[in-house]
Amino acid sequence: KTGRDDEAIAFLDKHLADKTLPAPGRRELFFLRGKIHEKRGEYDEAFAAYRSANETAGGTCDADAYRRRIDELLEVYRRENLPRYARATLSLEDPVFIVGMPRTGSTLVERIIDAHPAARGLGELAEMNRITRGLPLSIGSPLPYPQCVRDLTPPVADRIGTEYVESVRKTARRARRVVDKYLPNFENLGLLSLILPQARVIECRRNPMDACLSCFAEPLHPSGHPWASRLEDLGAHHRQYERIMDHWKNVLDMPILEVSYEELTADQEAVSRRIIEFLGLPWDEQCLRYYELKRPIMTLSREQVDKPVYRSSVNRADRFGDHLEPLRRALAIES
């Protein structure tokens, strides 16, 4: 930020030469080196640093296992199966779920909503993961999730949905809309349609090449994002994400609004108004000045969302050329 790039690179290289530096620290320094080179337009050097950072991360990704997991969800939540499943009878319109891949503008969307006086962004809550893990016991079913949803009853669906709303309302009692920005909830939309059918879902989408590169170039935690350290795994994961989201849009009757990162950064007001209207709230000009709010942000996007919208990250992947060919192939995008 001070422009002292050469000093910064020399400082980073000094510590990267220390063989006793633990892997997590080495990874962070490689990411920082990549950011400096990218800022300077040195994309070969930037990519080399990002690649070294990800190689340092270790971790493994089983793309086949993840595909089978998505297969299982698609099978259980087939269109012809959904009418047979019980669903909640209570009208709980409070929850809003922001889902998608990381680095797709989700924190920006949450901040825009959070700036509205009748809404509150709660960050990334893992509550739905807890619910899915405990669902067989909650239902009293011998079947694991997701197969156990066939044993769901309306009273149990009402109870689980109410418990979720009560848990998130502890920190947002006066808000009409409460926002859960746990992005992997895109896997849980089938269950959400049963226990919180009145909930609203906002899906954040971005050019797949830009989204995946941005994941590759940021220190996403390897334990939660094992697919982010290799371009091939990133592409495979993104394709499964698109596959299940396309399925939900075809079979679920719960409202889902797709928000394009490119459209949002091109016309913030128009897209912001669309978001607020989707939530059933009156428009408020404060939503355009979301960056004036100083609530803490715990994601990698915290620096970006503390300033007005910018478009410098649109078509970011184009600058890296052939370095991203493995990603392009994994996404099945023609060169």
Side-chain angles (χ1 to χ4, degrees):
K1 290 181 179 179
T2 64
R4 296 158 61 189
D5 297 346
D6 291 335
E7 291 179 68
I9 290 174
F11 181 84
L12 291 170
D13 286 348
K14 171 187 172 182
H15 289 281
L16 285 169
D18 180 2
K19 302 303 182 183
T20 66
L21 182 67
R26 181 176 299 278
R27 179 172 178 259
E28 292 280 351
L29 296 191
F30 273 125
F31 276 122
L32 287 171
R33 202 183 202 287
K35 287 182 182 299
I36 295 171
H37 285 301
E38 185 173 0
K39 182 186 74 169
R40 287 158 56 124
E42 299 164 352
Y43 299 111
D44 292 342
E45 294 86 346
F47 183 80
Y50 293 146
R51 182 175 56 200
S52 295
N54 282 291
E55 289 172 348
T56 304
T60 58
C61 173
D62 190 337
D64 289 336
Y66 188 68
R67 177 181 50 76
R68 292 193 296 271
R69 177 173 162 185
I70 300 301
D71 286 344
E72 189 175 34
L73 288 168
L74 297 183
E75 176 64 27
V76 169
Y77 291 105
R78 290 166 58 184
R79 182 188 298 276
E80 58 267 32
N81 290 342
L82 286 168
R84 305 171 193 162
Y85 301 151
R87 61 177 57 202
T89 62
L90 299 178
S91 179
L92 300 171
E93 298 184 353
D94 315 48
V96 179
F97 295 89
I98 297 177
V99 302
M101 289 282 289
R103 316 299 298 162
T104 54
S106 59
T107 302
L108 174 57
V109 171
E110 183 194 32
R111 290 284 275 187
I112 289 169
I113 299 172
D114 190 54
H116 196 288
R120 182 67 186 275
L122 302 178
E124 301 180 359
L125 307 177
E127 188 67 13
M128 282 303 302
N129 278 0
R130 182 192 66 78
I131 288 173
T132 57
R133 286 195 302 270
L135 196 62
L137 183 61
S138 298
I139 295 175
S141 172
L143 301 171
Y145 182 78
Q147 286 81 7
C148 64
V149 297
R150 68 187 64 173
D151 296 325
L152 185 67
T153 63
V156 173
D158 282 336
R159 176 170 57 81
I160 295 173
T162 301
E163 288 174 355
Y164 172 86
V165 172
E166 289 178 349
S167 71
V168 301
R169 277 220 160 274
K170 291 177 182 178
T171 55
R173 296 190 180 279
R174 297 183 180 180
R176 287 176 56 192
R177 300 287 180 264
V178 288
V179 183
D180 182 342
K181 196 187 75 74
Y182 185 67
L183 297 180
N185 271 332
F186 68 79
E187 297 178 17
N188 297 324
L189 297 190
L191 179 60
L192 279 170
S193 72
L194 302 179
I195 65 171
L196 290 166
Q198 304 297 319
R200 293 165 170 83
V201 177
I202 297 175
E203 181 206 6
C204 292
R205 286 237 182 183
R206 184 180 181 183
N207 175 293
M209 289 291 293
D210 284 350
C212 290
L213 169 63
S214 191
C215 290
F216 188 76
E218 293 288 345
L220 298 178
H221 201 287
S223 63
H225 309 85
W227 40 265
S229 297
R230 292 179 69 249
L231 295 178
E232 296 86 350
D233 292 336
L234 263 163
H237 185 84
H238 195 283
R239 290 188 71 178
Q240 293 305 316
Y241 157 73
E242 289 185 316
R243 182 176 168 224
I244 194 168
M245 279 306 306
D246 290 345
H247 175 77
W248 296 140
K249 291 174 184 177
N250 284 328
V251 305
L252 300 183
D253 56 8
M254 67 190 310
I256 300 176
L257 174 69
E258 180 178 323
V259 174
S260 160
Y261 175 83
E262 290 77 16
E263 290 181 13
L264 177 57
T265 54
D267 193 343
Q268 179 202 347
E269 180 170 355
V271 178
S272 298
R273 285 180 176 275
R274 194 186 313 155
I275 292 169
I276 300 304
E277 180 182 7
F278 175 73
L279 302 185
L281 298 175
W283 173 247
D284 192 287
E285 290 293 324
Q286 183 61 48
C287 295
L288 299 179
R289 302 189 303 276
Y290 61 88
Y291 47 87
E292 295 177 352
L293 299 179
K294 297 304 178 184
R295 290 177 184 162
I297 296 293
M298 303 304 292
T299 72
L300 293 170
S301 304
R302 54 188 173 271
E303 290 188 13
Q304 292 96 317
V305 298
D306 280 337
K307 54 188 176 182
V309 165
Y310 60 94
R311 289 184 53 80
S312 58
S313 293
V314 174
N315 296 326
R316 179 186 182 188
D318 292 350
R319 303 161 198 161
F320 288 84
D322 292 343
H323 290 301
L324 301 184
E325 189 57 35
L327 173 60
R328 199 172 284 110
R329 289 195 302 268
L331 289 169
I333 296 175
E334 294 183 4
S335 300

